[in-house]
Amino acid sequence: MFEQSEDQKLTVKVRIMQREFTISCREDERADLLEAAEYLDGQMRVISDSGKVLGMDRCAIMAGLNITHCLLKLQQQMERQAHVHDRLQLLNDQLDRYVSGG
């Protein structure tokens, strides 16, 4: 499924929607690339099977938009969690100062 090239990059072949794509990546990125391709293939199949989107290009765009939407929501959640963590740390520091008499 992959070949080693001269510059320490792999040539990885992935299948998405019955089409084969050859992609270069570093060896340490191979597993993530295969997982991403499998995920994208699954998302595109769900969209394709719904019968609402015709054509691979449109299906890829819809899958990309759906995946990007999920990513942005997760980033927003992480930012909120970081804010809450910072606020809790501040409150914890204030409590420590109060308890220690400072």
Side-chain angles (χ1 to χ4, degrees), residues 1-2 33 39 41-42 46 50-51 66 68 75 78 83 92 95 101:
M1 178 175 275
F2 66 93
L33 174 62
Y39 185 80
D41 181 62
V46 167
S50 74
N66 289 343
T68 302
Q75 286 176 335
M78 288 176 64
H83 176 72
N92 191 38
L95 282 172

Side-chain angles (χ1 to χ4, degrees), residues 4 14 38 59 70 72 90:
Q4 189 77 35
V14 297
E38 185 177 330
C59 189
C70 290
L72 293 174
L90 178 65

Side-chain angles (χ1 to χ4, degrees), residues 88-102:
L88 288 173
Q89 186 63 48
L90 178 65
L91 291 171
N92 191 38
D93 293 345
Q94 290 174 345
L95 282 172
D96 285 345
R97 282 195 302 275
Y98 178 76
V99 170
S100 65

Side-chain angles (χ1 to χ4, degrees), residues 14-21 41 45 56-57:
V14 297
R15 289 191 66 79
I16 299 173
M17 298 289 290
Q18 293 90 31
R19 290 184 58 191
E20 189 171 276
F21 298 90
D41 181 62
R45 286 179 190 283
M56 186 168 166
D57 291 347

Side-chain angles (χ1 to χ4, degrees), residues 44 47 53 56-68:
M44 288 179 68
I47 292 167
V53 177
M56 186 168 166
D57 291 347
R58 287 180 181 247
C59 189
I61 289 169
M62 292 304 299
L65 286 171
N66 289 343
I67 292 167
T68 302

Side-chain angles (χ1 to χ4, degrees), residues 67-85:
I67 292 167
T68 302
H69 179 258
C70 290
L71 172 66
L72 293 174
K73 285 180 74 172
L74 287 172
Q75 286 176 335
Q76 291 170 353
Q77 288 175 351
M78 288 176 64
E79 288 171 6
R80 284 193 297 272
Q81 288 175 349
H83 176 72
V84 169
H85 178 268

Side-chain angles (χ1 to χ4, degrees), residues 13-29:
K13 293 183 180 180
V14 297
R15 289 191 66 79
I16 299 173
M17 298 289 290
Q18 293 90 31
R19 290 184 58 191
E20 189 171 276
F21 298 90
T22 302
I23 304 167
S24 295
C25 69
R26 293 190 323 255
E27 188 170 356
D28 62 336
E29 298 173 323

